[in-house]
């Protein structure tokens, strides 16, 4: 499908000029399933008893429930943001600060609220820098 056939392509991201300071966006929600946890443990080697030992979880963990690694929640959140805002725009991940406020459990549904905190042209023509504050809810 070409751009000249009259159809607008869905799923494309935003360019920096489309993201003024103060703009707020919200991703769709996504439930994090048991299979997500098991695949993440397998891919990363995070074989922590809080994630993979049901007896320990039931009798000794602080919640008695399946807690998700913060890195898994971050990865799901980044996926939600990427598919909604960054496709085909060309971007570079420059850094982050992460503050985990509480546990996320298997079966929880998360979405991401984004707020643009900085938006400006870069030193090289045709490019820009956008910083956002992303909250996983």
């Amino acid at each position: 499908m070409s751009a000249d056939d009259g159809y607008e392509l869905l799923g494309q991201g935003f360019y920096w000029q489309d993201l003024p300071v103060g703009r707020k966006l919200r991703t769709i929600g996504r439930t994090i399933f048991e299979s997500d946890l098991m695949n993440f443990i397998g891919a990363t080697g995070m074989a922590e008893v809080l994630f993979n030992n049901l007896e320990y979880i039931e009798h000794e963990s602080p919640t008695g429930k399946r807690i998700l690694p913060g890195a898994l929640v971050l990865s799901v959140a980044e996926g939600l943001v990427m598919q909604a805002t960054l496709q085909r725009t060309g971007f570079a991940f420059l850094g982050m600060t992460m503050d985990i406020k509480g546990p996320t459990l298997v079966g929880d549904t998360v979405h991401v609220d984004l707020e643009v905190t900085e938006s400006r042209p870069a030193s090289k023509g045709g490019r820009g820098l956008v910083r956002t504050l992303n909250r996983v809810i």
Side-chain angles (χ1 to χ4, degrees):
M1 192 178 294
S2 66
D4 60 359
D5 63 3
Y7 288 89
E8 184 177 349
L9 183 62
L10 294 173
Q12 293 189 99
F14 297 102
Y15 292 98
W16 74 270
Q17 299 94 328
D18 302 321
L19 296 167
V21 171
R23 185 166 184 187
K24 295 179 179 181
L25 303 165
R26 177 171 290 154
T27 70
I28 61 170
R30 183 194 185 290
T31 301
I32 305 177
F33 297 101
E34 175 78 19
S35 58
D36 296 316
L37 173 59
M38 299 316 300
N39 286 323
F40 189 81
I41 290 170
T44 63
M46 285 189 175
E48 163 63 45
V49 293
L50 273 173
F51 311 139
N52 68 5
N53 183 320
L54 293 177
E55 288 184 17
Y56 179 85
I57 293 165
E58 182 179 343
H59 300 292
E60 298 187 47
S61 79
T63 65
K65 298 178 182 174
R66 298 294 297 269
I67 297 173
L68 298 170
L72 169 58
V73 179
L74 169 66
S75 298
V76 168
E78 279 297 294
L80 290 170
V81 170
M82 185 169 291
Q83 69 186 346
T85 63
L86 301 173
Q87 294 292 334
R88 301 180 76 172
T89 61
F91 70 94
F93 183 81
L94 300 177
M96 66 175 241
T97 301
M98 185 165 83
D99 184 15
I100 299 173
K101 302 288 186 188
T104 305
L105 307 173
V106 167
D108 284 351
T109 299
V110 299
H111 71 270
V112 183
D113 286 348
L114 300 91
E115 183 174 353
V116 178
T117 59
E118 182 180 359
S119 181
R120 62 176 173 81
S123 58
K124 297 196 179 195
R127 298 180 183 181
L129 172 84
V130 176
R131 293 185 199 274
T132 59
L133 174 62
N134 298 1
R135 292 181 182 93
V136 180
I137 310 297

